[in-house]
Amino acid sequence: MRILIALLAITLVSGCHLLKTKPLPEETAFEQTLGIEKISEKLQTPAGQYELGELYLQRQQAGDMENALTLLEKSANSGYAPAQFRYGQLLVQGYGVEKDLKAGAAWLRMAAASGVDEAQIALADLYAQGNGVEQNWFKAKRWYDLAAKQENPQAMLKLGKAYIASARNEEDYQWALHWFELAGNLGLAEGKYFAAKLYASGVGGGKDLNKALTLFQQAAKAGYVDAIAEVGQLLRYGTSNASSDPLLAEELLQEAISKGSGQAAFEMGSQYEFGEENKPQDFAKAAEWYQKATDAGYPYAAYRLGELYRLGFGVEKSIAKANVLYETAATNNILPAIVSLADTIFQDPTLTKEGLVRAIQFYQRAADLGDPYSQYMLSEFYRLGLGVDQNLQTSVDWFYRADNISDNARAKYQVAMHLAKGVGFAVDEPRAFEWLMAAANQKYPKALVTLGDWYSLGVYVPRDYRQAHDWYQKAALQGSPEAEYNLGLLYYNGQGVEHDMQTAFTWFEKAAKSGVTPAQYQIAEMYYQGVGVSQNDVNAYAWWSLSTAQHINSTGHPLQKIIARMPAYEQEKALVLAQNYQEKYGKKLLVE
């Protein structure tokens, strides 16, 4: 399970859309239709104008929308807060009137300031999404908070989500849990659901699987279908108060899917993407399930599906489709989707000035949410004056904001790769080396492997196999399968170390068992030839079968010869072992 993850003076006359209306219908006809006794009296007061406007909206006969807008605007201009809310809402939605987010936000702000909780929520939604106003989590949370303090459960729910979307520390998650629980206590099933997710994940320091299970069960009983899938996930492994029951877990997952749960469809997709819960790794099926989850409104699924389109796993590669999906997820403040969207725009070979500005806007948004990679990217943009006015102080400020985040080594590595390869930036090898060393000094495995590659190949630095060995070894100690394979190659070829086939086999085998296809291929050769390990046709066949299944070209490899020369009992062993290896070591390693 991988996961957790928001929605909005008298007189700005220029933005108020003053509409002409048709005359009101005959009083008696209007009375019969809407049950109002004295229209003329209602028209004299802002409250009455608002009431009539609402009734026109409900009736929806010819000319009613124009009349409704006129009455609501008149009432709003008189300072009647409910009318200000409704008129602002119509402008924001473009319902019956030309959409005008800025003017709509102004009317909502007036109604919100008068204490209308629905207006406070709608205005907070605009700040959360950056629609008609500058995106601002502080202001969004402030308006949600005011509505929540009026015991509005939807405001409490959205406030909790806002704390998660803008979280920078454990305290933010604790506040999110506080508001989710209050919403749940007021009978909102979704509040119980999100409180349960925090208890299940332990984010915020309060991991409690038993409490999570109870809350998920309560939310499921109240009809929140995503909770059914979560109950199943917890029962799959069990808690201290509930025994593991994989069969019931699968039944609940299927039940949730049948009821349209986006969470359940996402979970199924995740199982196929990563080859979990006895399902084979199958990217095409993962894409199908992620699409279903996306259609059901589960935004994190849109992000994962976007990743599959970006990489071309299980679907035809399409950056355009990936970006559409990233945008869907980004609208719901899924942070990795915002970052991926910024990257794909910035890395486009046909990047325009407008595209650069748009990419920086997304990096800025992710940086404001605490993403260190985006903060480092902004630091480089301001240092170079790329897409923004050059400002070294701002560059330094963003750098130190990122550097104060503990988990920032991967971010440094990503910036290094952009500078080394000239992705978006001009190639800057010395600067790339600085960033890469910074990531390597934090023992980030990919940085350690890349330094090994640079020294092994002699790119950006003089070739030095001994240095390559040392960096690969540091990465291997961090569990990097790629480093294990590369160490095997150095020992196999005697580069920077003594020629040692047994040590080479040891490293190749470690990498092979982690799913590195070239390593699987290599130890098959070594078993076949008896180099570095005792000759063994059964093992050679099993590993060759696996590497061939992973699309390594096996032309000329004597698989059939091996089978032909094996006794019958060994042939059977080879086939069984090949199947066993496929299940254990056949998963495709995903790139970061």
Side-chain angles (χ1 to χ4, degrees), residues 112 115-122 124 140-156 159 179:
V116 178
D117 59 346
E118 290 180 283
Q120 292 167 343
I121 294 171
K141 287 186 286 191
R142 183 168 73 88
W143 287 112
Y144 284 139
D145 184 74
L146 288 171
K149 286 175 178 173
Q150 296 189 58
E151 298 200 349
N152 184 306
Q154 280 295 335
M156 294 173 180
L159 181 54
W179 288 111

Side-chain angles (χ1 to χ4, degrees), residues 124 126-130 133-141:
L126 293 183
Y127 278 115
Q129 295 176 346
V133 294
E134 184 179 356
Q135 201 278 340
N136 188 310
W137 281 113
F138 176 79
K139 290 182 179 179
K141 287 186 286 191

Side-chain angles (χ1 to χ4, degrees), residues 173-223:
Y173 288 104
Q174 290 165 7
W175 274 112
L177 178 60
H178 167 77
W179 288 111
F180 288 148
E181 289 189 314
L182 285 181
N185 291 340
L186 289 177
L188 196 64
E190 196 174 356
K192 294 179 184 290
Y193 171 78
F194 280 103
K197 285 188 80 78
L198 288 177
Y199 278 119
S201 67
V203 175
K207 186 162 187 172
D208 187 332
L209 295 182
N210 293 315
K211 201 163 189 176
L213 180 58
T214 298
L215 287 167
F216 279 138
Q217 289 170 330
Q218 290 173 357
K221 189 175 180 180

Side-chain angles (χ1 to χ4, degrees), residues 123 179 209 241 289 314 319 325 332 345 406 452 575:
L123 183 59
W179 288 111
L209 295 182
N241 291 347
W289 282 107
I319 299 299
L325 290 159
N332 290 275
I345 295 170
S406 58
L575 293 171

Side-chain angles (χ1 to χ4, degrees), residues 539-558:
N539 281 332
Y541 180 87
W543 284 111
W544 255 329
S545 296
L546 181 58
S547 63
T548 301
Q550 291 287 346
H551 312 300
I552 285 290
N553 183 359
S554 60
T555 303
H557 292 161

Side-chain angles (χ1 to χ4, degrees), residues 412-431:
K412 292 174 180 174
Y413 169 76
Q414 290 174 293
V415 176
M417 293 300 95
H418 292 334
L419 291 166
K421 298 174 183 178
V423 177
F425 300 110
V427 172
D428 189 336
E429 294 174 11
R431 184 88 176 150

Side-chain angles (χ1 to χ4, degrees), residues 344-351:
T344 54
I345 295 170
F346 181 60
Q347 295 169 20
D348 185 345
T350 63
L351 181 69

